[in-house]
Amino acid sequence: MILVTGGAGFIGSNFILDWLAGETTPVVNLDKLTYAGNADNLAAVAADPRYCFVHGDINDRALIDNLLREHRPRAIVHFAAESHVDRSIHGPADFVQTNVVGTFTLLEATRAWLATIPEAERARFRFLHVSTDEVYGSLSADSAPATETFAYAPSSPYSASKAASDHLVRAYCCTYQFPALITNCSNNYGPRQFPEKLIPLVTLNALNGKPLPVYGDGLNVRDWLYVGDHCSALRAVLARGRIGETYNVGGNSEKTNLDVVKTICAILDELRPTAKPRISLLTFVKDRPGHDRRYALDAGKLARELGWQPQERFESGMRKTIAWYLDNPQWIENVVSGSYRNWLATNYEQR
């Protein structure tokens, strides 16, 4: 089997669904079920005998030790992380605890367990650490996309915590010959994304006739990666990636935030027409502190070594994403809770 941490979150749940659709290997999903972890994301496989859910924290060393001894995974795919920049600005401690200390706990438990298993099992084991393009920091408008050899320059508590976890994983490879791989992905979008992030937030607000908040001038640029493409990249890295290597996973779709909002509005106006174009709801709000201007990834190494390329164009991926939200109103109702509304008030109304 494989052990997935944070598998009830956005990317993790899509990865598990994708994995079970194409693989026979069972999955154990360890998730703390914080606000963004949603068991409903995996309702389709809840009764599948290949799927096992464990409610727990990656900081719980005794729990990790027991899971490793009991299930003897051939791989760990490590998604578990606090991942929202704005929340890291309001409360950085949780990000250090989960992203840095939690990753350290997982590494130490795995290293100790590997020392107890037969050499053949140890030789085929892999630890895949899933990280972000934000560790490379902000790029200028004319800069080439970041490669795997770019210097780290994180600028938020979130990206700094992910950079620290990347460094820990890389150090374990060098010091302990730990069989790890690292991926750094660009901005993901797709089904099941918690609506604190730009695309689901704007989609849901536009459907409900609410303001569409855009930071600053709206010209911050991100490279957008459809989550299904990300899942296929992770499977490729896990199957054929070289131990100790880092692979960038990009979508080849650089867009400004303003372009993203306009695309969402245009698709919704087509699918659910209203008397007034939804772009009229656009509202510029005060920029967040330290807002990086541009992220972009060079995923050429992944293409050259493993033959991976994204299959979705931004427009096709956006249509699939918006269609999913339109088709799943119950999922939306379940996640848009009082705590979520309180978060929106904390982060946006004061701007």
Side-chain angles (χ1 to χ4, degrees), residues 7 17 100 106 126 138 183 198 209 212 218 249 258 261 291 297 342:
L17 293 171
V100 183
L106 194 60
R126 298 292 183 269
S138 188
T183 56
L198 177 65
L212 312 180
V249 188
L258 198 54
V261 173
H291 195 180
L297 284 181
N342 291 340

Side-chain angles (χ1 to χ4, degrees), residues 22-40:
E23 304 279 348
T24 58
T25 307
V27 175
V28 172
N29 173 20
L30 173 65
D31 198 293
K32 190 179 177 181
L33 293 183
T34 57
Y35 73 94
N38 186 353
D40 288 347

Side-chain angles (χ1 to χ4, degrees), residues 6-9 12-18 20 27 29 31 33 38-48 51 53 192 331:
S13 63
N14 276 281
F15 176 81
I16 289 174
L17 293 171
D18 179 77
L20 291 175
V27 175
N29 173 20
D31 198 293
L33 293 183
N38 186 353
D40 288 347
N41 288 347
L42 293 157
V45 297
D48 191 320
Y51 175 69
F53 174 72
R192 304 174 187 85
W331 184 93

Side-chain angles (χ1 to χ4, degrees), residues 53-345:
F53 174 72
V54 177
H55 186 200
D57 189 342
I58 58 171
N59 281 290
D60 186 341
R61 175 63 187 270
L63 173 61
I64 302 297
D65 288 342
N66 287 337
L67 286 175
L68 294 173
R69 283 195 300 266
E70 178 182 355
H71 294 286
R72 303 177 72 91
R74 69 172 177 85
I76 294 175
V77 185
H78 178 35
F79 294 101
E82 298 285 347
S83 65
H84 191 215
V85 172
D86 292 309
R87 287 182 186 265
S88 80
I89 293 170
H90 287 280
D94 287 343
F95 288 73
V96 173
Q97 186 63 41
T98 297
N99 300 355
V100 183
V101 181
T103 298
F104 167 73
T105 301
L106 194 60
L107 287 168
E108 277 291 273
T110 306
R111 182 169 72 92
W113 171 71
L114 286 174
T116 70
I117 65 176
E119 184 177 351
E121 282 187 56
R122 190 163 59 247
R124 64 174 176 262
F125 177 82
R126 298 292 183 269
F127 183 103
L128 176 53
H129 175 66
V130 183
S131 190
T132 174
D133 59 356
E134 297 192 35
V135 298
Y136 299 120
S138 188
L139 304 179
S140 64
D142 58 354
S143 172
T147 68
E148 291 83 356
T149 60
F150 261 47
Y152 276 26
S155 56
S156 71
Y158 162 60
S159 57
S161 68
K162 289 299 290 185
S165 67
D166 290 6
H167 289 321
L168 275 172
V169 174
R170 194 167 288 115
Y172 271 60
C173 285
C174 293
T175 303
Y176 303 114
Q177 289 73 57
F178 189 83
L181 308 119
I182 298 173
T183 56
N184 294 91
C185 68
S186 57
N187 275 36
N188 277 227
Y189 68 100
R192 304 174 187 85
Q193 187 170 29
F194 190 76
E196 65 186 357
K197 300 296 178 72
L198 177 65
I199 288 175
L201 173 66
V202 169
T203 300
L204 300 189
N205 278 17
L207 281 171
N208 291 293
K210 296 180 179 180
L212 312 180
V214 175
Y215 287 141
D217 60 7
L219 299 182
N220 300 76
V221 174
R222 300 294 183 263
D223 174 27
W224 292 95
L225 172 67
Y226 187 66
V227 68
D229 282 332
H230 188 193
C231 292
S232 70
L234 293 173
R235 285 191 286 106
V237 171
L238 191 60
R240 304 188 302 280
R242 292 182 289 133
I243 288 176
E245 291 295 315
T246 296
Y247 296 91
N248 284 345
V249 188
N252 296 333
S253 295
E254 286 190 53
K255 304 288 181 184
T256 68
N257 289 344
L258 198 54
D259 287 336
V260 171
V261 173
K262 289 177 178 177
T263 299
I264 293 169
C265 290
I267 294 173
L268 283 175
D269 287 346
E270 176 190 335
L271 298 178
R272 295 281 178 88
T274 55
K276 197 174 183 181
R278 288 182 171 88
I279 195 62
S280 64
L281 298 169
L282 178 68
T283 304
F284 290 102
V285 299
K286 182 181 178 182
D287 211 351
R288 73 184 179 204
H291 195 180
D292 288 338
R293 195 62 169 173
R294 173 178 173 244
Y295 302 141
L297 284 181
D298 182 339
K301 178 179 178 180
L302 192 54
R304 291 189 303 272
E305 293 193 9
L306 305 182
W308 178 87
Q309 293 279 359
Q311 299 302 302
E312 293 291 344
R313 297 176 295 105
F314 181 71
E315 292 74 16
S316 64
M318 284 296 295
R319 284 188 171 274
K320 289 183 177 181
T321 300
I322 292 172
W324 188 89
Y325 283 104
L326 292 176
D327 291 341
N328 289 274
Q330 189 60 55
W331 184 93
I332 295 169
E333 184 177 339
N334 291 345
V335 301
V336 182
S337 64
S339 60
Y340 170 68
R341 290 191 293 271
N342 291 340
W343 160 250
L344 292 184

